[in-house]
Each structure stands twice: as C-alpha cells, then as structure tokens.
Amino acid sequence: MSTEPDATVLDANAIAGLLAEVFAGAEMTSASRACQSCGQRRAIGEHRLYRGAGLVLRCPACNDIAMIMVEGDGWREVRTAGFWSLRVPGPAAA
Amino acid sequence: MAAAAPARIVWKMATVVELVEETAHARTLVLDVPDWPGHVAGQHLDVRLTADDGYQAERSYSVASPPEDDRVALTIERIDDGEVSPYLAGELEVGDRFEVRGPIGGHFTWRAAEGGPILLVAGGSGLVPLMAMLRHRARQGSHADARLLVSARALDALLYREELMRLDDARDGLSITYTLTRDRPERWTGYARRVDAEMLEAVGPAVANMPRVFVCGPTPFVESVADHLVALGHDAAAIHTERFGPTGG
C-alpha cells in the first residue's frame, strides 16, 4: 500500500473516524474498557494501535488484545475482548 | 445532539483558503469546510485524498484552530518519504479541494469551562492539538492554571513560536517552558534535555492539585512522559495521551 512503516504503534485516537464509522457514529475514544487480563479500566483512546494486515487495539496497561478489525472486499469484521462501556447521548429526562 | 450523529462521519469537500509556512518542515492549511458543525479543542479531522486512478489515502490530523474560528486550520509536518504530507505540506495550493470528515474524537479534548489546572506536554508537532486548547483558552478569556512544556529539536523547529511568546506574555495564568533537545542558540537558558520526571515536577502543577494532563507527540515520547507522570503520582485516569507517528506521513 505504501512504503511507510505501517506497523508503528499509535493509539486509538488515530482511528477515531473509523471507529465512529463502525459503531454507528458513536464517539468511541472516550468510551472506556475494563481489561479482562489486568482489570484496569482505560479510555479506548489510550489503547495502543497496531497496524498490520488488520488493526489491533491493545490494553495500555498489559498489552492484552482489546479489539481486532479486519476488512475484506465489502465487509468489515470486528472482534472485541474485555468489558467495553460506552455512554452515548440519549433522550433527556422529562 | 443525536446519539448516532452520522453528519460527523460524512465526507465533505474542503477548500484551502490560506497557507502559512510555520517552519521549514511544517505548514498550516486553513480550510473552508461547508456546514462545519464546530469542534472541541483537541479533536481531529480525517483527510482523504483520491488519485486520478481512484487510489485513496486517508490520514487523521489534529485541528490547530480554536472552536471560536469559523475556518478549520491543520498544521502538517512534511515527512519527506511520506505519501500524503509532501502533497499537503508541499504541492497543495490555495483554492485546491480535498475531502474531510469530522470533527472526530472526544478523549483528547479540553474545554475552557472545565477549568484547570492543566499540564500540556508536547513533543514536536504534538503541539498542534495543545495549541488549539491554548488558543481556545485565550479566546474564552480563561485564567485557568495552564502549564505548557514543549520539547523541540531546535528553536527553528518550534511551531507557533511568536504566538506562543505572545500567549506567555499575557500573564493570565499560562506559563510556557521549552526544552531544546538537539541544537540550542547561544546563551540559551531554558532546558536542554529530553523531558524527564524532574522537569515535569518543576514545570507542572502540584500532583496534589490533581491537574489534568495532556501529552501528545511521537509514541516513544508519549510513553516515556506518561511513565514519568505516573511515577510522580499522577492518576493514570487524569493523563490523556495521543501518539502520532510516521503513519501520519
């Protein structure tokens, strides 16, 4: 695809747009995730991003896998691990 | 605002209205984006370029301008063997158009109404989203306790130099500290080493005052600064980090 080193580790902030696309417009970087390995709760934006054949997000505390995303022709598959907690705007109390 | 606000993730055609050379390697693009819904300081914009043969390249850039501006500014560092930045920070001209979507992101953001104290730590062009926060702070007339620590290779690699001096001169609760890691001017009295725990402790608000911390820069810089901050006793949940790397090229 390019000669640039795609495997460089970034964080999920770099794919905030893609995450919004996948999660129906929701802002995911401020969602939090509790890791099933180390128990730490961190914002998705803090998770490390590894780019290879697909995208992998890893826990910033213990590096365990939080999400794997692969794309094919016309489809996208997302697998998540750990406990993801997302708060989105909803109807206000009357 | 609706939960699934797809407007944010719709691609729109932006027009370049102004170009500002910031340093020998970085340029600011001022964009006119139709129906820009406004942003929060620290958010991003995704850029998509399409070649004549249909090949597309996407990149995410931090917005440099404050939410108070109608136009959206991006500051892009040219990576010479990069795929996108040599075009955006080189060949691109006023009047050119390309696709954007945003604003995007919500984790690495600060609003003046949230107040201080805040500690902003920038490595190289990691200064861009932090500059949006400081511009926003100034435009809102905020006097929140804000400390900016900027690490740059040399003085001529430092973005927004004159504007930073003006902001610092306002004496409105903001203090700016520089560290130059490679080349220093003669009689340089500022720091001359990589950011370390001692520097963070000297520059930052006291840990007991529970500052929110924003760290942006290349991945090794961010990881190192975050480790020092945790070692100093800062709450990991109060440390917001954003890493960028050559994939931004």
Side-chain angles (χ1 to χ4, degrees), chain A residues 4 9-11 21 46, chain B residues 83 101 107 219 241 243 247:
Chain A
E4 289 159 62
V9 182
L10 297 178
D11 57 43
E21 221 177 276
E46 298 289 329
Chain B
E83 183 181 45
R101 66 177 177 186
H107 172 62
T219 300
T241 58
R243 299 156 179 84
T247 42

Side-chain angles (χ1 to χ4, degrees), chain B residues 29 77 104 138 145 154 160 162 166 188 199 211 217-218 244:
Chain B
L29 281 50
E77 190 171 22
I104 281 164
D145 177 354
Y160 319 123
E162 288 175 12
R166 283 199 303 275
W188 172 253
M199 196 186 299
F244 69 80

Side-chain angles (χ1 to χ4, degrees), chain B residues 20-28 76-78 153 155-160:
Chain B
V20 181
E21 301 301 328
E22 301 283 0
T23 68
H25 301 281
R27 171 155 107 169
T28 292
I76 295 173
E77 190 171 22
R78 190 167 50 249
R153 289 189 309 276
L155 209 51
D156 61 9
L158 182 63
L159 294 171
Y160 319 123

Side-chain angles (χ1 to χ4, degrees), chain A:
Chain A
M1 178 181 151
S2 82
T3 55
E4 289 159 62
D6 276 355
T8 305
V9 182
L10 297 178
D11 57 43
N13 296 305
I15 56 163
L18 177 63
L19 291 172
E21 221 177 276
V22 169
F23 292 92
E27 201 301 286
M28 294 300 293
T29 59
S30 43
S32 73
R33 173 183 168 274
C35 182
Q36 80 277 32
S37 295
C38 69
Q40 294 235 31
R41 177 179 287 276
R42 296 287 182 85
I44 296 300
E46 298 289 329
H47 282 60
R48 296 194 181 100
L49 169 69
Y50 294 76
R51 296 183 201 234
L55 297 175
V56 178
L57 288 184
R58 289 177 176 272
C59 173
C62 75
N63 232 33
D64 197 21
I65 289 178
M67 188 196 83
I68 298 173
M69 190 187 306
V70 286
E71 291 182 317
D73 186 10
W75 56 267
R76 239 178 222 143
E77 184 174 328
V78 179
R79 203 178 313 156
T80 57
F83 183 77
W84 291 53
S85 172
L86 171 64
R87 178 175 291 207
V88 297

Side-chain angles (χ1 to χ4, degrees), chain B residues 62-64 120-134 148-151 157-161 164 178 216-217 244:
Chain B
S62 294
V63 176
L120 313 178
V121 187
S125 51
L127 179 57
V128 176
L130 306 179
M131 195 63 185
M133 295 177 188
L134 292 181
L148 171 67
L149 173 59
V150 191
S151 173
L158 182 63
L159 294 171
Y160 319 123
R161 206 166 125 194
L164 286 174
Y178 304 95
C216 187
F244 69 80

Side-chain angles (χ1 to χ4, degrees), chain B residues 13-34:
Chain B
M13 201 55 88
T15 307
V16 179
V17 293
E18 192 186 345
L19 295 169
V20 181
E21 301 301 328
E22 301 283 0
T23 68
H25 301 281
R27 171 155 107 169
T28 292
L29 281 50
V30 184
L31 305 175
D32 181 34
V33 183

Side-chain angles (χ1 to χ4, degrees), chain B residues 63-109:
Chain B
V63 176
S65 47
E68 290 76 14
D69 282 0
D70 294 335
R71 286 174 167 159
V72 183
L74 308 178
T75 300
I76 295 173
E77 190 171 22
R78 190 167 50 249
I79 294 158
D80 288 330
D81 58 353
E83 183 181 45
V84 170
S85 67
Y87 171 71
L88 293 178
E91 299 149 48
L92 190 80
E93 293 176 4
V94 169
D96 285 351
R97 289 150 57 89
F98 54 82
E99 286 179 293
V100 301
R101 66 177 177 186
I104 281 164
H107 172 62
F108 197 84
T109 57

